[in-house]
Amino acid sequence: DGIWRLSKLAVSVQNDPGKDFLGVSDGLLQEIAKAIKFPVASMLPPEAFSVIRKSFDARKMLKEAKFVYTVDMDVSELINLEPRTIDFISDLEPRVGLIEHMPLERVSGDIISIIQDCKKVEGERLLKEGGANGYSCNAGTYKYTGSRKPKIVVVGSGPSGLFASLVLAELGADVTLIERGQPVEQRGRDIGALMVRRVLELESNFCFGEGGAGTWSDGKLVTRIGRNSDSVLAVMKTLVHFGAPGNILIDGKPHLGTDRLVPLLRNLRQNLQGQGVSIKFGTRVDDLIIEDGHVVGVKVSDSRDQQKLDCHKLGFDAVILAVGHSARDIYHMLLSHDIDLIPKDFAVSSESFSPISRVIKELDNDWSSIHFFGLPNYFVQNTIYSWYIKEVGLRIEHPQELINSVQYSSLSTEVHRGRGKIPVADYKVASYVSREDGKTPSTSGPTSRSCYSFCMCPGGQVVLTSTDPSELCINGMSFSRRASKWANAALVVTVSTQDFNSLDFHGPLAGIDFQREFERRAAVMGGGDFVVPVQTVTDFLDGKFSVTSLPPSSYRLGVKAAKLHELFPMHITDALRHSVSVFDKELPGFISNEALLHGVETRTSSPIQIPRSSDTYESLSLKGLYPVGEGAGYAGGIVSAAVDGMHAGFAVAKRFGLFLDGI
Ligand code: FAD
């Protein structure tokens, strides 16, 4: 009896209906039959099986590319089979390897249903006890009846701010969500004006606005914090609740694309407003109001009207700061209040900051052994997520067909620009560069660096992510079909405080100054008007400058031939060159006249961390302040930011007594 999980079931491309089919095909039934050693595949009832994960594996070492499945088998659905079959099934145990019994108590739903279920259980318990502790209940419902609801402000409507708001609203707080940018509808128009008329709205662009930095993005939902962790599953199921397609729960490399993110965000906004969350778009938090070492509110102004200097003061019991890492003004504001900001590499390497290093070590050892406010395991993992270092680099773009043929050889004809049987090809490359590998070994930087591809966007386009017209930085986005002619990815090299110091940037904001320096150099190289400086990979390797025969670029605001090999300090350029040669061995054709480097990619992760308690999420230097998400240094992508915001929401709820025993 029970559920058995069958993994690594490989179905050939000919026998599979294709990447968009997530049911149980005849080809899959045949592989299941082989795995459980059942003689006649066609006798197996498809309803006994559910697909848990489907990935496409085209690694070179395989004889042929395959779809690889993980499937759950419900043994109770097999009871009507003839006795011989039952014997086969009951004999599964000895064949364990690809087969595993699943007694797991998994998260059964999205965050809303988890909280609702807990409220119901809590309501029934309190009803039995006759009501207690400031909660009044009638059967199956739950209501906070303390003297007044805690007033919480969430600053920033990126994934971390949205998930913190959702949890707090569900748990009964009085939530105000403040966002300097515009709702997605207006933000879409502002981005349109940028792409067509080169008008950069300083407060509504690729970084600022509803949904945060990831809204006009590739919407990749892959995360380094444990795909199968229950926190990640709860976030993914919540995305489905708000309109993401169910296949993100199954696809080995889930992604949404901008076209799906926009309606999802609209649904989430309506849900929050329905719960009484007051959402203030076009409103920028400029300062914190602090009394007796405790934050008691925020000063805000109209972000669209720069003439309006009169700041409004708003009082709150707690401030959740979820502003992302492009809100550089906020870092300066925090410093003016003596709030600790530490460079990322210091956060991890310094033994003096033991809470973070300790938790990271614990997380590495055993995710599930850490307990978070006595939550059951599904909210336990990933209380701290940290990126060890910063990186800078360039964005490389190839024709997508070239990447398809490098990755899939003859199968590349099956891609059909996102409409075919197999997914549009991506890649992930990484190399380790020691000082000796570079022609110009650095004397000041670290002894070794890593160089890797990051945020690869198959079938995507290069976009402008500057928030200031004197700076130029780029990133990648795509639509759900990934149908464009191009494949782009950041190629970045790790840098550290030593690199910042070598350019005479010191102090907690040295990493930001370092980013800004190269963003300014890139703007100058491009010649202004958001024109991006570019160079073919071959010219970059040879240190050549050719103005003619540039391959086309997906970047819509224009490109200009430039000497990108002179943009960074020589040891960074050398590390990039060395790595590109290594990557070409792995992906022959990576070095090509058709491959175009774009400058610069600087905002891959936050160079700063705002220290906070690993238990309460409260800032270590200011009571009542809760720094979360990427800008605070605790996330590095859409999903990890959402997970961090969700955990912070629970931490703040607990602090104000909104917490339920059952959660
Ligand atoms: P953000 O998403 O940056 O949100 C912060 C919000 O705070 C913003 O909306 C901002 O307007 C608001 N804000 C800032 N300052 C203030 C203030 N003073 N007052 C009021 N509001 C303020 N990640 C992935 O996982 N997959 C991808 O495919 C992917 N693609 C990307 C593509 C692009 C073009 C970009 C720019 C990023 C991409 N990322 C991707 C990264 C991802 O978007 C971020 O890691 C994630 O959005 C961080 O979430 P966050 O909530 O911490 O901050």
Side-chain angles (χ1 to χ4, degrees), residues 4 29 58 166 168 174 177 207 252 267 277 299 328 369 441 495 542 608:
W4 289 80
L29 275 182
L166 184 64
L168 282 160
D174 176 354
L177 175 58
C207 290
N267 293 342
V277 174
K299 290 185 191 164
R328 293 169 171 172
S369 69
V495 291
D542 297 342
I608 283 168

Side-chain angles (χ1 to χ4, degrees), residues 433-467:
V433 191
S434 72
R435 261 190 195 168
E436 294 71 43
D437 291 326
K439 278 189 197 139
T440 323
S442 145
T443 47
S444 54
T447 49
S448 61
R449 297 172 192 275
S450 299
C451 177
Y452 39 87
S453 59
F454 185 84
C455 190
M456 198 265 153
C457 295
Q461 64 190 86
V462 177
V463 294
L464 177 79
T465 49
S466 305
T467 43

